[in-house]
Amino acid sequence: KAGVTQTPRYLIKTRGQQVTLSCSPISGHRSVSWYQQTPGQGLQFLFEYFSETQRNKGNFPGRFSGRQFSNSRSEMNVSTLELGDSALYLCASSLVGSASTDTQYFGPGTRLTVL
Amino acid sequence: GNSVTQMEGPVTLSEEAFLTINCTYTATGYPSLFWYVQYPGEGLQLLLKATKADDKGSNKGFEATYRKETTSFHLEKGSVQVSDSAVYFCALSPSGFGNEKLTFGTGTRLTIIP
């Protein structure tokens, strides 16, 4: 069974631009979560989608948004990029997410660099 | 709010040494607790988890016991190998949630020398 895939793996953008990252969950998984990883702040939860609906949200500004499609694939968008948005963005999927017996599987991440 | 505190790294050990990485948490109710591992250039992998007090999670020789009285979930391994070199993250999922909204510690970089 294929794992969680994220595209692209690397991105370089300039301040003020916007970017879209993509995540394909493991087949059959309906919950997709996004995390930002930076050296200063560590791993921080962005949001989680289930059945095309945002179910949970972290403490990030409105410039960070996402969506989920009917096939459970998810995209994350960051508008008006700032230097501080440079990070590794990780996507994770699980069957339903809300069960303590569920397991979350992470993708390799997209490394975003903002110049 | 919820938080996870891990021992500061980096940690360097010789092969076959005993490993302990401390993790304590702050949360209301009964969170689920996790250890994730990140190898160079890769995403996170679930190493083990525990969903209720006194549960012991174990995998690949690693163990951690959910101690509610001390709000701790320390990671241990009796004999480490070079292949265990990685960054280890302790995490919690709030009470009432599954694992879709994790709060992570800052990570502990472990290096094992032959």
Side-chain angles (χ1 to χ4, degrees):
Chain A
K1 188 185 269 191
V4 178
T5 58
Q6 293 187 245
T7 57
R9 291 293 308 276
Y10 302 91
L11 263 179
I12 299 176
K13 293 286 188 179
T14 56
R15 278 181 300 174
Q17 287 187 309
Q18 75 163 16
V19 67
T20 299
L21 314 181
S22 181
C23 171
S24 292
I26 291 172
S27 177
H29 285 193
R30 295 167 61 193
S31 169
V32 175
S33 297
W34 288 89
Y35 294 85
Q36 182 195 64
Q37 185 177 22
T38 60
Q41 299 298 317
L43 275 154
Q44 294 183 285
F45 172 76
L46 279 155
F47 31 64
E48 184 244 355
Y49 286 86
F50 178 78
S51 291
E52 301 178 63
T53 302
Q54 187 180 87
R55 186 164 61 174
N56 292 291
K57 190 177 189 306
N59 297 319
F60 278 80
R63 299 185 297 107
F64 292 81
S65 63
R67 59 178 176 168
Q68 187 179 35
F69 302 94
S70 58
N71 62 357
S72 294
R73 190 176 70 84
S74 178
E75 288 182 348
M76 192 193 104
N77 186 76
V78 188
S79 62
T80 320
L81 283 166
E82 300 176 1
L83 294 179
D85 297 333
S86 295
L88 180 67
Y89 290 88
L90 292 166
C91 166
S93 78
S94 58
L95 279 169
V96 294
S98 58
S100 61
T101 54
D102 211 347
T103 295
Q104 201 165 56
Y105 296 87
F106 282 79
T110 293
R111 172 77 61 187
L112 172 64
T113 302
V114 182
L115 303 176
Chain B
N2 301 318
S3 67
V4 175
T5 303
Q6 282 182 242
M7 63 185 287
E8 291 284 330
V11 173
T12 302
L13 295 172
S14 297
E15 205 167 20
E16 298 183 3
F18 184 86
L19 168 72
T20 299
I21 301 178
N22 290 337
C23 170
T24 57
Y25 69 91
T26 301
T28 55
Y30 298 87
S32 295
L33 301 173
F34 307 81
W35 277 101
Y36 280 85
V37 58
Q38 187 175 33
Y39 297 102
E42 299 183 15
L44 277 71
Q45 299 176 26
L46 177 65
L47 182 58
L48 53 84
K49 68 179 184 181
T51 57
K52 60 183 187 296
D54 299 326
D55 263 4
K56 177 186 280 188
S58 61
N59 186 26
K60 299 181 182 179
F62 291 90
E63 292 182 341
T65 301
Y66 188 148
R67 302 284 188 203
K68 186 154 179 68
E69 64 276 12
T70 54
T71 62
S72 66
F73 193 55
H74 304 321
L75 182 68
E76 297 182 334
K77 186 175 185 182
S79 176
V80 293
Q81 306 300 312
V82 172
S83 57
D84 294 327
S85 297
V87 181
Y88 291 81
F89 293 91
C90 184
L92 70 80
S93 180
S95 179
F97 287 84
N99 55 27
E100 74 278 21
K101 186 180 178 182
L102 296 171
T103 296
F104 285 90
T106 53
T108 301
R109 183 175 299 278
L110 172 68
T111 302
I112 307 300
I113 53 177

